[in-house]
Amino acid sequence: MADPAKKTVFSGIRPTGPAHLGNFAGAMRNWLALQDKYNCFYSIVTWHALSSEYQNSKVIKGYTYEMALDLLSIGLDPARCVIFVQSEVKEHAELHLLLSMVTPLPWVERVPTFKDMQKEMADKDLNTYGYLGYPVLQTADILLYKGEIVPVGEDQAAHLELAREICRRFNRLIGEVFPEPQMLLTETPRLAGTDGRKMSKSFGNAIYLKDAPETIRAKIATMVTDTRRQRRSDPGEPADCPVFTLHAAFVEKPRREELARGCRTAGIGCLECKGVVIERLLELLGSYWEKRAEFEKKPSRIWEILDEGNRRARRVAEATMEDVRAALGF
Ligand code: TRP
Ligand code: SF4
């Protein structure tokens, strides 16, 4: 099944509920493009979710289902990649523990996301041992599959740098077990939500993949635009328009540039401009909705696919842990 001539890709996504356009334009869409070129392992990282949602752990299982349904419906194919649940492969915990032994405390303390996320999610107490270890767990995820390529957005750069350092240190101190993972920087455009702030589930401004076509139409139709365009005859600036972040992610460049000119010269109205991105999204999501409807007829299919993915992941994880234990001399 795994082609030894292909390099191994690993990436993870936190189960945070149904995916919105921001998740799709970031991680999810990039994963699709890699599934034939590499041996891909894609993990729904339940323990990473738990590190910030430990006071609300009961929602994670449902979110895992939602995320799997979304990943499969956008076209990830379980015959061509491994989709699995992190917490169903216990070796992630074992390798995390072992890596924690060789990881100097200052290395994790200086990872900027540790303090940044505490500020960003001030309603949650993230000053925990588990949260400090977040990037070490992420390192274990990657190394457990001897991942060579890790497609992630810019926001994960510090975590990947740490992963590479931990990898080198383990190989030097314990034994040459792991290839050093490379970061594959993927475009993760910042999408604005309906209110103009960053699209986020917690702001209640998100457009979800599973939204019905009418809902998508309505959400975009009422979305805020550049405030300069009070009247149809007022020129605007696409760079200051939340709607145009959707164009940037989903509308091809020539068409987009034409619209930008139209906005700046008041040659087109916002209604028309929004219409273009709405039609593009409906077209893009057509096959997603079809696939999703099929899966929804048989919800148990999702858990079966994950079970099979968990089994395939486990086989690789177990083999790696044998190498690790041998290197340790255990
Ligand atoms: N921390 C990543 C994020 O928030 C998710 C993640 C967990 C991940 N483990 C990973 C990404 C391993 C790449 C590789 O997006
Ligand atoms: Fe935004 Fe388009 Fe309206 Fe310009 S024309 S303000 S880019 S919606």
Side-chain angles (χ1 to χ4, degrees), residues 256-302:
R256 188 167 79 224
E257 286 177 344
E258 186 188 320
L259 292 170
R261 271 193 301 278
C263 175
R264 292 192 182 105
T265 57
I268 54 160
C270 289
L271 220 60
E272 187 188 336
C273 183
K274 286 175 167 182
V276 172
V277 75
I278 290 170
E279 290 318 313
R280 177 78 188 105
L281 284 170
L282 300 190
E283 180 192 312
L284 204 66
L285 292 171
S287 72
Y288 166 90
W289 288 318
E290 269 171 40
K291 286 208 183 70
R292 186 175 173 108
E294 280 305 306
F295 283 118
E296 280 176 339
K297 284 186 208 150
K298 203 167 177 289
S300 61
R301 185 74 196 111
I302 300 292

Short mmCIF file of all heavy atoms in Angstrom, two decimals, residues 256-302:
data_model
loop_
_atom_site.label_atom_id
_atom_site.label_comp_id
_atom_site.label_asym_id
_atom_site.label_seq_id
_atom_site.Cartn_x
_atom_site.Cartn_y
_atom_site.Cartn_z
N ARG A 256 -9.94 38.16 -10.85
CA ARG A 256 -9.83 38.92 -9.59
C ARG A 256 -9.29 40.32 -9.85
O ARG A 256 -9.78 41.30 -9.30
CB ARG A 256 -8.88 38.14 -8.67
CG ARG A 256 -8.80 38.65 -7.27
CD ARG A 256 -8.10 37.63 -6.42
NE ARG A 256 -6.65 37.65 -6.57
CZ ARG A 256 -5.90 36.57 -6.68
NH1 ARG A 256 -6.43 35.37 -6.71
NH2 ARG A 256 -4.58 36.68 -6.78
N GLU A 257 -8.28 40.39 -10.72
CA GLU A 257 -7.69 41.71 -11.00
C GLU A 257 -8.67 42.62 -11.73
O GLU A 257 -8.71 43.83 -11.49
CB GLU A 257 -6.38 41.52 -11.78
CG GLU A 257 -5.28 41.01 -10.86
CD GLU A 257 -3.96 40.72 -11.55
OE1 GLU A 257 -3.95 40.64 -12.80
OE2 GLU A 257 -2.95 40.59 -10.83
N GLU A 258 -9.44 42.00 -12.57
CA GLU A 258 -10.48 42.74 -13.29
C GLU A 258 -11.50 43.32 -12.28
O GLU A 258 -11.89 44.48 -12.36
CB GLU A 258 -11.14 41.74 -14.24
CG GLU A 258 -12.15 42.25 -15.22
CD GLU A 258 -12.81 41.05 -15.93
OE1 GLU A 258 -12.10 40.07 -16.28
OE2 GLU A 258 -14.04 41.10 -16.11
N LEU A 259 -11.87 42.51 -11.32
CA LEU A 259 -12.82 42.96 -10.29
C LEU A 259 -12.20 44.07 -9.45
O LEU A 259 -12.88 45.04 -9.08
CB LEU A 259 -13.25 41.80 -9.41
CG LEU A 259 -14.12 40.72 -10.08
CD1 LEU A 259 -14.28 39.52 -9.16
CD2 LEU A 259 -15.48 41.28 -10.46
N ALA A 260 -10.92 43.93 -9.13
CA ALA A 260 -10.24 44.94 -8.32
C ALA A 260 -10.25 46.29 -9.05
O ALA A 260 -10.53 47.34 -8.44
CB ALA A 260 -8.81 44.51 -8.01
N ARG A 261 -9.98 46.24 -10.34
CA ARG A 261 -10.04 47.49 -11.13
C ARG A 261 -11.44 48.07 -11.11
O ARG A 261 -11.64 49.26 -10.91
CB ARG A 261 -9.63 47.21 -12.60
CG ARG A 261 -8.13 47.34 -12.85
CD ARG A 261 -7.83 47.38 -14.36
NE ARG A 261 -8.29 46.20 -15.07
CZ ARG A 261 -7.63 45.04 -15.13
NH1 ARG A 261 -6.46 44.91 -14.53
NH2 ARG A 261 -8.11 44.00 -15.79
N GLY A 262 -12.42 47.19 -11.29
CA GLY A 262 -13.82 47.63 -11.28
C GLY A 262 -14.21 48.29 -9.97
O GLY A 262 -14.96 49.27 -9.94
N CYS A 263 -13.65 47.77 -8.87
CA CYS A 263 -13.94 48.33 -7.55
C CYS A 263 -13.31 49.72 -7.43
O CYS A 263 -13.97 50.68 -7.02
CB CYS A 263 -13.40 47.39 -6.47
SG CYS A 263 -13.55 48.03 -4.79
N ARG A 264 -12.05 49.82 -7.84
CA ARG A 264 -11.32 51.09 -7.69
C ARG A 264 -11.89 52.20 -8.57
O ARG A 264 -11.73 53.38 -8.27
CB ARG A 264 -9.83 50.88 -8.02
CG ARG A 264 -9.13 50.00 -7.00
CD ARG A 264 -7.61 50.03 -7.15
NE ARG A 264 -7.02 49.13 -6.17
CZ ARG A 264 -6.50 47.93 -6.45
NH1 ARG A 264 -6.46 47.49 -7.69
NH2 ARG A 264 -6.02 47.17 -5.49
N THR A 265 -12.52 51.83 -9.66
CA THR A 265 -13.07 52.83 -10.59
C THR A 265 -14.58 52.96 -10.46
O THR A 265 -15.21 53.65 -11.25
CB THR A 265 -12.75 52.44 -12.04
OG1 THR A 265 -13.29 51.13 -12.28
CG2 THR A 265 -11.26 52.42 -12.31
N ALA A 266 -15.14 52.26 -9.49
CA ALA A 266 -16.60 52.19 -9.34
C ALA A 266 -17.27 51.68 -10.62
O ALA A 266 -18.41 51.99 -10.92
CB ALA A 266 -17.18 53.56 -8.94
N GLY A 267 -16.51 50.90 -11.37
CA GLY A 267 -17.04 50.30 -12.60
C GLY A 267 -18.03 49.17 -12.32
O GLY A 267 -18.87 48.86 -13.15
N ILE A 268 -17.87 48.52 -11.17
CA ILE A 268 -18.83 47.48 -10.79
C ILE A 268 -19.38 47.77 -9.41
O ILE A 268 -18.77 48.51 -8.63
CB ILE A 268 -18.19 46.06 -10.76
CG1 ILE A 268 -16.95 46.07 -9.84
CG2 ILE A 268 -17.86 45.56 -12.15
CD1 ILE A 268 -16.54 44.71 -9.37
N GLY A 269 -20.50 47.18 -9.10
CA GLY A 269 -21.08 47.32 -7.76
C GLY A 269 -20.67 46.15 -6.89
O GLY A 269 -20.22 45.12 -7.38
N CYS A 270 -20.83 46.32 -5.59
CA CYS A 270 -20.47 45.25 -4.65
C CYS A 270 -21.32 44.00 -4.88
O CYS A 270 -20.84 42.88 -4.72
CB CYS A 270 -20.66 45.74 -3.21
SG CYS A 270 -19.42 46.95 -2.73
N LEU A 271 -22.56 44.21 -5.28
CA LEU A 271 -23.45 43.08 -5.51
C LEU A 271 -22.88 42.14 -6.57
O LEU A 271 -22.83 40.93 -6.41
CB LEU A 271 -24.82 43.62 -5.96
CG LEU A 271 -26.05 42.94 -5.41
CD1 LEU A 271 -26.07 43.04 -3.89
CD2 LEU A 271 -27.30 43.59 -6.00
N GLU A 272 -22.44 42.78 -7.65
CA GLU A 272 -21.89 42.02 -8.77
C GLU A 272 -20.58 41.34 -8.35
O GLU A 272 -20.34 40.17 -8.65
CB GLU A 272 -21.64 42.99 -9.93
CG GLU A 272 -21.23 42.35 -11.22
CD GLU A 272 -20.81 43.40 -12.26
OE1 GLU A 272 -21.25 44.57 -12.17
OE2 GLU A 272 -20.03 43.04 -13.15
N CYS A 273 -19.77 42.09 -7.63
CA CYS A 273 -18.47 41.59 -7.17
C CYS A 273 -18.66 40.39 -6.24
O CYS A 273 -17.99 39.36 -6.36
CB CYS A 273 -17.74 42.72 -6.46
SG CYS A 273 -16.09 42.29 -5.90
N LYS A 274 -19.61 40.51 -5.33
CA LYS A 274 -19.91 39.40 -4.42
C LYS A 274 -20.45 38.21 -5.19
O LYS A 274 -20.15 37.05 -4.86
CB LYS A 274 -20.94 39.84 -3.37
CG LYS A 274 -20.37 40.77 -2.31
CD LYS A 274 -21.50 41.24 -1.39
CE LYS A 274 -20.95 41.90 -0.14
NZ LYS A 274 -22.04 42.33 0.78
N GLY A 275 -21.25 38.50 -6.21
CA GLY A 275 -21.84 37.42 -7.02
C GLY A 275 -20.78 36.51 -7.61
O GLY A 275 -20.95 35.29 -7.66
N VAL A 276 -19.67 37.10 -8.03
CA VAL A 276 -18.61 36.30 -8.65
C VAL A 276 -18.04 35.29 -7.66
O VAL A 276 -17.88 34.11 -7.99
CB VAL A 276 -17.48 37.21 -9.19
CG1 VAL A 276 -16.29 36.39 -9.67
CG2 VAL A 276 -18.01 38.10 -10.31
N VAL A 277 -17.77 35.75 -6.46
CA VAL A 277 -17.16 34.83 -5.50
C VAL A 277 -18.19 33.81 -4.99
O VAL A 277 -17.87 32.66 -4.72
CB VAL A 277 -16.42 35.57 -4.35
CG1 VAL A 277 -17.37 36.17 -3.35
CG2 VAL A 277 -15.41 34.66 -3.68
N ILE A 278 -19.44 34.23 -4.91
CA ILE A 278 -20.50 33.29 -4.51
C ILE A 278 -20.59 32.15 -5.54
O ILE A 278 -20.54 30.97 -5.18
CB ILE A 278 -21.87 34.00 -4.38
CG1 ILE A 278 -21.87 34.92 -3.17
CG2 ILE A 278 -23.00 32.97 -4.27
CD1 ILE A 278 -23.08 35.86 -3.08
N GLU A 279 -20.65 32.51 -6.80
CA GLU A 279 -20.76 31.46 -7.84
C GLU A 279 -19.55 30.54 -7.82
O GLU A 279 -19.68 29.33 -7.95
CB GLU A 279 -20.92 32.08 -9.23
CG GLU A 279 -22.27 32.78 -9.47
CD GLU A 279 -23.46 32.00 -8.91
OE1 GLU A 279 -23.55 30.77 -9.16
OE2 GLU A 279 -24.31 32.61 -8.22
N ARG A 280 -18.39 31.12 -7.62
CA ARG A 280 -17.16 30.33 -7.57
C ARG A 280 -17.21 29.33 -6.41
O ARG A 280 -16.83 28.16 -6.57
CB ARG A 280 -15.96 31.28 -7.41
CG ARG A 280 -14.65 30.61 -7.27
CD ARG A 280 -14.11 30.11 -8.61
NE ARG A 280 -12.93 29.30 -8.39
CZ ARG A 280 -12.90 27.97 -8.48
NH1 ARG A 280 -13.97 27.31 -8.84
NH2 ARG A 280 -11.79 27.31 -8.25
N LEU A 281 -17.68 29.78 -5.27
CA LEU A 281 -17.75 28.90 -4.10
C LEU A 281 -18.78 27.78 -4.31
O LEU A 281 -18.53 26.63 -3.97
CB LEU A 281 -18.10 29.70 -2.83
CG LEU A 281 -16.94 30.52 -2.26
CD1 LEU A 281 -17.43 31.47 -1.18
CD2 LEU A 281 -15.85 29.59 -1.71
N LEU A 282 -19.90 28.13 -4.90
CA LEU A 282 -20.93 27.10 -5.12
C LEU A 282 -20.40 26.03 -6.07
O LEU A 282 -20.64 24.84 -5.89
CB LEU A 282 -22.22 27.72 -5.66
CG LEU A 282 -22.90 28.78 -4.77
CD1 LEU A 282 -24.29 29.13 -5.30
CD2 LEU A 282 -22.99 28.34 -3.31
N GLU A 283 -19.63 26.48 -7.06
CA GLU A 283 -19.03 25.55 -8.01
C GLU A 283 -17.99 24.66 -7.30
O GLU A 283 -17.99 23.44 -7.42
CB GLU A 283 -18.37 26.40 -9.10
CG GLU A 283 -17.68 25.68 -10.21
CD GLU A 283 -16.84 26.70 -11.02
OE1 GLU A 283 -17.37 27.78 -11.38
OE2 GLU A 283 -15.66 26.41 -11.27
N LEU A 284 -17.15 25.32 -6.50
CA LEU A 284 -16.08 24.62 -5.79
C LEU A 284 -16.63 23.59 -4.80
O LEU A 284 -16.07 22.53 -4.59
CB LEU A 284 -15.25 25.67 -5.04
CG LEU A 284 -13.82 25.38 -4.67
CD1 LEU A 284 -12.98 25.27 -5.92
CD2 LEU A 284 -13.27 26.52 -3.81
N LEU A 285 -17.76 23.93 -4.18
CA LEU A 285 -18.30 23.08 -3.13
C LEU A 285 -19.30 22.05 -3.64
O LEU A 285 -19.77 21.21 -2.88
CB LEU A 285 -18.95 23.95 -2.04
CG LEU A 285 -17.97 24.79 -1.22
CD1 LEU A 285 -18.70 25.76 -0.32
CD2 LEU A 285 -17.05 23.88 -0.38
N GLY A 286 -19.59 22.10 -4.93
CA GLY A 286 -20.58 21.18 -5.50
C GLY A 286 -20.28 19.71 -5.18
O GLY A 286 -21.14 19.00 -4.64
N SER A 287 -19.06 19.29 -5.45
CA SER A 287 -18.74 17.87 -5.24
C SER A 287 -18.65 17.57 -3.75
O SER A 287 -18.93 16.46 -3.30
CB SER A 287 -17.47 17.48 -5.97
OG SER A 287 -16.35 18.03 -5.34
N TYR A 288 -18.25 18.58 -2.96
CA TYR A 288 -18.24 18.40 -1.50
C TYR A 288 -19.64 18.06 -0.98
O TYR A 288 -19.83 17.11 -0.23
CB TYR A 288 -17.71 19.68 -0.82
CG TYR A 288 -17.97 19.74 0.67
CD1 TYR A 288 -17.05 19.23 1.58
CD2 TYR A 288 -19.15 20.30 1.17
CE1 TYR A 288 -17.30 19.26 2.95
CE2 TYR A 288 -19.40 20.34 2.53
CZ TYR A 288 -18.48 19.82 3.42
OH TYR A 288 -18.74 19.85 4.76
N TRP A 289 -20.62 18.84 -1.41
CA TRP A 289 -21.99 18.59 -0.92
C TRP A 289 -22.50 17.23 -1.36
O TRP A 289 -23.17 16.55 -0.62
CB TRP A 289 -22.93 19.71 -1.39
CG TRP A 289 -22.70 21.00 -0.69
CD1 TRP A 289 -22.47 21.18 0.65
CD2 TRP A 289 -22.66 22.30 -1.27
NE1 TRP A 289 -22.29 22.52 0.93
CE2 TRP A 289 -22.41 23.23 -0.24
CE3 TRP A 289 -22.82 22.78 -2.58
CZ2 TRP A 289 -22.31 24.60 -0.46
CZ3 TRP A 289 -22.72 24.15 -2.80
CH2 TRP A 289 -22.47 25.03 -1.75
N GLU A 290 -22.15 16.84 -2.60
CA GLU A 290 -22.58 15.52 -3.09
C GLU A 290 -22.00 14.41 -2.23
O GLU A 290 -22.70 13.51 -1.78
CB GLU A 290 -22.10 15.31 -4.53
CG GLU A 290 -23.09 15.77 -5.58
CD GLU A 290 -22.46 15.74 -6.96
OE1 GLU A 290 -21.71 14.78 -7.27
OE2 GLU A 290 -22.72 16.69 -7.73
N LYS A 291 -20.68 14.49 -2.02
CA LYS A 291 -20.01 13.44 -1.23
C LYS A 291 -20.57 13.42 0.19
O LYS A 291 -20.83 12.38 0.76
CB LYS A 291 -18.50 13.68 -1.18
CG LYS A 291 -17.79 13.37 -2.48
CD LYS A 291 -16.34 12.96 -2.20
CE LYS A 291 -15.58 12.71 -3.49
NZ LYS A 291 -15.31 13.94 -4.26
N ARG A 292 -20.75 14.60 0.74
CA ARG A 292 -21.24 14.69 2.11
C ARG A 292 -22.62 14.06 2.25
O ARG A 292 -22.88 13.32 3.20
CB ARG A 292 -21.27 16.16 2.54
CG ARG A 292 -21.63 16.32 3.99
CD ARG A 292 -21.55 17.75 4.47
NE ARG A 292 -22.08 17.78 5.81
CZ ARG A 292 -21.35 17.95 6.91
NH1 ARG A 292 -20.06 18.16 6.83
NH2 ARG A 292 -21.91 17.91 8.10
N ALA A 293 -23.47 14.32 1.28
CA ALA A 293 -24.82 13.75 1.31
C ALA A 293 -24.75 12.22 1.29
O ALA A 293 -25.52 11.55 1.99
CB ALA A 293 -25.64 14.27 0.14
N GLU A 294 -23.83 11.67 0.51
CA GLU A 294 -23.65 10.22 0.47
C GLU A 294 -23.26 9.69 1.85
O GLU A 294 -23.84 8.73 2.34
CB GLU A 294 -22.55 9.84 -0.53
CG GLU A 294 -23.00 9.84 -1.97
CD GLU A 294 -24.21 8.94 -2.19
OE1 GLU A 294 -24.13 7.74 -1.80
OE2 GLU A 294 -25.24 9.43 -2.73
N PHE A 295 -22.25 10.33 2.46
CA PHE A 295 -21.80 9.87 3.78
C PHE A 295 -22.90 10.01 4.82
O PHE A 295 -23.02 9.20 5.73
CB PHE A 295 -20.57 10.66 4.24
CG PHE A 295 -19.29 10.22 3.59
CD1 PHE A 295 -18.57 11.09 2.79
CD2 PHE A 295 -18.82 8.93 3.76
CE1 PHE A 295 -17.38 10.69 2.19
CE2 PHE A 295 -17.63 8.52 3.16
CZ PHE A 295 -16.92 9.41 2.37
N GLU A 296 -23.70 11.06 4.70
CA GLU A 296 -24.72 11.28 5.72
C GLU A 296 -25.81 10.21 5.69
O GLU A 296 -26.50 10.00 6.68
CB GLU A 296 -25.30 12.69 5.59
CG GLU A 296 -24.35 13.71 6.24
CD GLU A 296 -24.76 15.16 6.09
OE1 GLU A 296 -25.55 15.45 5.15
OE2 GLU A 296 -24.29 15.98 6.89
N LYS A 297 -25.90 9.50 4.56
CA LYS A 297 -26.85 8.38 4.51
C LYS A 297 -26.38 7.24 5.39
O LYS A 297 -27.15 6.37 5.77
CB LYS A 297 -26.99 7.88 3.07
CG LYS A 297 -27.83 8.77 2.19
CD LYS A 297 -28.04 8.10 0.82
CE LYS A 297 -28.25 9.13 -0.25
NZ LYS A 297 -27.75 8.68 -1.57
N LYS A 298 -25.06 7.19 5.62
CA LYS A 298 -24.52 6.06 6.39
C LYS A 298 -23.39 6.57 7.30
O LYS A 298 -22.21 6.39 7.01
CB LYS A 298 -23.98 5.00 5.41
CG LYS A 298 -23.92 3.62 6.04
CD LYS A 298 -23.71 2.54 4.99
CE LYS A 298 -23.56 1.17 5.63
NZ LYS A 298 -22.28 1.01 6.34
N PRO A 299 -23.79 7.21 8.40
CA PRO A 299 -22.80 7.85 9.29
C PRO A 299 -21.76 6.89 9.85
O PRO A 299 -20.62 7.30 10.12
CB PRO A 299 -23.66 8.43 10.42
CG PRO A 299 -25.04 8.51 9.87
CD PRO A 299 -25.17 7.42 8.86
N SER A 300 -22.13 5.61 9.99
CA SER A 300 -21.16 4.65 10.56
C SER A 300 -19.96 4.46 9.65
O SER A 300 -18.88 4.06 10.08
CB SER A 300 -21.84 3.31 10.81
OG SER A 300 -22.31 2.79 9.58
N ARG A 301 -20.13 4.76 8.37
CA ARG A 301 -19.04 4.64 7.39
C ARG A 301 -17.83 5.49 7.79
O ARG A 301 -16.69 5.09 7.61
CB ARG A 301 -19.59 5.06 6.02
CG ARG A 301 -18.68 4.90 4.86
CD ARG A 301 -18.50 3.45 4.41
NE ARG A 301 -17.33 3.36 3.54
CZ ARG A 301 -16.19 2.75 3.85
NH1 ARG A 301 -16.06 2.12 4.99
NH2 ARG A 301 -15.18 2.77 3.01
N ILE A 302 -18.10 6.67 8.35
CA ILE A 302 -17.00 7.56 8.76
C ILE A 302 -16.14 6.89 9.83
O ILE A 302 -14.91 6.88 9.73
CB ILE A 302 -17.57 8.90 9.31
CG1 ILE A 302 -18.41 9.63 8.25
CG2 ILE A 302 -16.46 9.79 9.85
CD1 ILE A 302 -17.62 10.16 7.08
#
